[in-house]
Each structure stands twice: as C-alpha cells, then as structure tokens.
Amino acid sequence: MKSMSLVIPSYWGSPEGPSDVEDEILFDHPTPLNKEGTLGRLLASLESLDSREFKIVIVAVANVPRLTNNVISRIQEIIGPYRARYDVSLLHSQNLDRLRRILLDKEGVSQATCELISLGSYPAVRNMCCLAGILNESEITIFLDDDEVITDRCFLNKAQEFIGTERQGHLIKVVAGYYLQPDSYKLDVSKVPAWRRLYWNNPSAMNEAFELVIGRPPRLKPTPFVFGGNMVIHRDILMEVPFDPLITRGEDIDFLINLRINRVTFWLDRKLYVQHLPPKFSRPAWKSLREDIKRFLYERKKVMDHQAIEGVSQEELLPYPGMFLGSDLEERIMRTNELLKEHYKELSDEQGIHECKVNIDLAKNNPFKDVDTHAWLRDLTGRWQELTRKVVGWGIPN
C-alpha cells in the first residue's frame, strides 16, 4: 500500500453561531464552539476501513482569529480518543506561524512565498491540506471534509488503485471521487427558487454533469468537475500545482482547471464515494450569489487566457462549470439579480434590493477583466514550488 495522509479541514466559529458581521473569513458552515460538530462522526467512520496504514492530519480553521486557541483545544478534545488508534496530528495557524518564521529566518525563503502559508480562505486552506501531505512525505494525499462519513470499507484500496497507472496515454496522478447526498449523487432540484431557475440553475447543470460522468460507464473517466472533499492526489502534483488564492469559492474545480493548464487530467472513479452530511445553514441569497459571480468572472478569464491548451475551454468544461463560463455570463448575472430583486421587493427587503444592484454592478464593472492570469499563475506556481521543495518531509510542526 502506498504511504498516505488523510487530510481533513475543520472549520469552527463563535459559540453564538454564525454572524456575517463578526465573521472575518467567509466559510459556509463553521461549527459553533459549543456544539458537537461533525469531525468526531467522520473519525468514528474510519473504524470501518479495512486498513489503518495512513496518517491523519486535521487542519484547524477558526473563522475569527481570536478564537484560534479555543478551536485548537476543542479539536484536541475530539481527536483525543483516536490518538491511540491512529497517527493523528493537528495543523493550525500557530504551528504554521512557527513554520513560516523558520522559513523566513533560517531558510532564506522569500516573504512573498511565505504569504502562501495561510488559513484565510478556502483555497488557502486547501493549500495547507496539500502542505500537510508534503510535510508528511506521503506518496498520496486524500482530501476529506469533516461533514462526511466513509461507509465503504474498501475506500482506501479504491483511492489508490489507479494512481500511477496509465489510461489513454496519460499517467494517472489525480483521482476524484464523489458525494452521496446522502443516498444519491444527484442534487435535489425540487426547491430551486423561481429567481434562480431561468439563468442560474446551477443544481440542474451540476446534475447534468453528474449523470454524464458518475452515472455512466466506464468506471474511470476524465471529469470537468471535482469534489474538494473526495480527492486523491499524488505528491508530485501537490509539489507542482497550487490552489489559486484569487478564487473565493469553488476552489476544487478551479484547481482542476489549474491542472488542465499544466496538462494534467483529473480522473473520476465511479466507485469512489463518501457520504456527505452537511449541517443546515443559511446565508442571504444575494451574498451566496455574489460569491458565485466573483468566482465565475475570474474563472472565465482564466479559461479564456489559456484556451489554446487542450482541455481548457468553455466547451470542454460543459455542462458544469462550463455553463457559467461563456460570453453570456454578464447577462446571466444581471437577469438573475433582477429576478432576485423583484423577490426582495415583495418582501420589502431594502438591503436585499440594494445588494442585488451591487451584484449587477459587479457584472458591469468586471474587476477581473484586466487580470493577466498567465503572469499571475506563473508567479504563484513559482512561489508554491519554492515552498514545497523546501519543506518536503519535515513532518507536521509541533
């Protein structure tokens, strides 16, 4: 069996629950510190695996920096009972700070490179998940999320089955699984609101993509989408290609695009699944929509800048995310927000109306239209490779 790390980010917030005013970092559903959370449930599910030849790294994320000590203590409580059974360690802002200082003061690594050591966003957290596997010098790193459970005792065998083999003339170094939500790979589209259905029906687009890739043979095939909480990545790839900090969410599919830019194919295994059991959470519709708007405006620019590369075009990313990467994106944004604005008018929600106007202005004044993603990715990749080559095999810092 290949050496492997299971890396699990765990997001925590104030005991009072989510507050968009208080939250300094926008994560979907950080667990309040006074709640049980889902991490223990995932760790308990590992008991069903037919092997224990792996390391576990929990990446502790506080959505407000002042809560860091509390979050570390809370996660240590949860993982305590598992330390006798597993090689489990904790990566958090404090030991990452120590790592950063060593790199700056003793190893001569640049300040710009050390800025990549961060837990300040989804892509930053994913990069620290990559770093965890690199620090452990694991041949493969398996990305899980703490709101999942593993129900297939053969999960680890399947996860490594194809890594290092060849398909269609390509050496496989990245494999994606998928989510059962909780029993089907398809999303429930019955409650998609009317304002979303015409121009921004991403659940339907995702289901169309899921049916084409997950729902049909062969077992292993190239995929235009991935799930961040079920990815298997060889160390060679983690060392070379980072997640992009300019994306605010959807960092998993954006990473897939980064890999295609580097001529690496992401393959999906129809037998590699986890059960996804996220807690319920709510956020104003305009805010979730805004995060998607920024994501797709930026991602479209990246795709347009690199579309000469095979696999990097809107057409090759259809039906999802390609539906939102075309020349009609601005129209989709404006029409969707006009419909949402009418919904807010019916509710006499003045803030909602105002925020929809802000969203429309985002489309009109696209902040990413002049970003040179060629230059940005060259710089980002150079810094990432400087970092990873320096720390490989160091182990998780104390």
Side-chain angles (χ1 to χ4, degrees), residues 6-9 42 46 126 129 142-146 148 150 155 228-231 274:
L6 276 55
V7 184
I8 308 162
L42 170 61
L46 301 181
R126 293 294 185 199
C129 292
I142 300 176
F143 289 65
L144 300 171
D145 285 338
D146 73 352
E148 304 165 353
I150 295 177
F155 177 83
N230 192 0
M231 302 188 300
V274 296

Side-chain angles (χ1 to χ4, degrees), residues 292-357:
D292 272 347
I293 290 167
K294 291 187 289 186
R295 163 196 178 181
F296 288 126
L297 284 171
Y298 175 63
E299 217 159 59
R300 184 186 61 175
K301 182 62 165 63
K302 183 185 288 188
V303 167
M304 291 172 63
D305 284 352
H306 294 86
Q307 60 187 337
I309 299 173
E310 182 180 357
V312 187
S313 70
Q314 181 202 8
E315 292 72 24
E316 290 166 299
L317 292 164
L318 286 170
Y320 186 84
M323 177 181 287
F324 299 97
L325 301 178
S327 59
D328 63 344
L329 178 57
E330 285 84 357
E331 181 180 5
R332 287 181 180 274
I333 293 169
M334 290 187 282
R335 289 183 178 271
T336 300
N337 277 280
E338 290 292 350
L339 292 170
L340 181 55
K341 190 164 64 173
E342 292 304 312
H343 171 69
Y344 282 132
K345 285 180 180 178
E346 293 176 5
L347 299 175
S348 299
D349 185 337
E350 292 299 325
Q351 183 185 4
I353 294 169
H354 168 74
E355 300 294 352
C356 285
K357 293 176 182 177

Side-chain angles (χ1 to χ4, degrees), residues 18-30 63 122 195-196 200 202 248-249 281-296 333 336-337 340-341 343-344 349 351-360 362:
S19 166
D20 289 331
V21 174
E22 182 185 359
D23 290 0
E24 295 185 20
I25 308 168
L26 192 64
F27 297 121
D28 282 342
H29 45 78
N63 69 337
Y122 279 123
W195 61 265
R196 183 185 281 275
W200 209 268
N202 49 337
T248 54
R249 63 197 311 104
F281 76 100
S282 62
R283 175 171 293 138
W286 62 262
K287 179 169 285 191
S288 296
L289 188 55
R290 184 173 300 166
E291 293 302 308
D292 272 347
I293 290 167
K294 291 187 289 186
R295 163 196 178 181
F296 288 126
I333 293 169
T336 300
N337 277 280
L340 181 55
K341 190 164 64 173
H343 171 69
Y344 282 132
D349 185 337
Q351 183 185 4
I353 294 169
H354 168 74
E355 300 294 352
C356 285
K357 293 176 182 177
V358 174
N359 286 349
I360 291 170
L362 262 177

Side-chain angles (χ1 to χ4, degrees), residues 363-390:
K364 293 179 177 179
N365 306 301
N366 180 357
F368 304 107
K369 64 181 182 297
D370 296 322
V371 175
D372 183 347
T373 64
H374 285 285
W376 164 248
L377 288 180
R378 279 196 302 270
D379 174 71
L380 172 65
T381 301
R383 288 185 287 140
W384 179 251
Q385 291 175 1
E386 179 189 10
L387 174 62
T388 59
R389 279 157 175 70
K390 183 64 70 171

Side-chain angles (χ1 to χ4, degrees), residues 177-249:
Y178 62 94
Y179 297 159
L180 294 176
Q181 314 202 64
D183 302 313
S184 169
Y185 60 81
K186 289 190 175 182
L187 300 171
D188 181 5
V189 297
S190 64
K191 296 180 181 179
V192 174
W195 61 265
R196 183 185 281 275
R197 288 180 202 145
L198 288 176
Y199 304 103
W200 209 268
N201 198 338
N202 49 337
S204 289
M206 292 168 76
N207 277 350
E208 184 180 350
F210 295 169
E211 179 58 31
L212 289 171
V213 179
I214 303 171
R216 302 179 185 181
R219 173 180 168 184
L220 193 73
K221 58 173 74 70
T223 176
F225 63 86
V226 287
F227 299 86
N230 192 0
M231 302 188 300
V232 185
I233 307 178
H234 191 277
R235 182 176 63 243
D236 291 351
I237 301 300
L238 298 183
M239 297 277 292
E240 296 291 325
V241 184
F243 288 78
D244 187 343
L246 285 187
I247 205 84
T248 54
R249 63 197 311 104

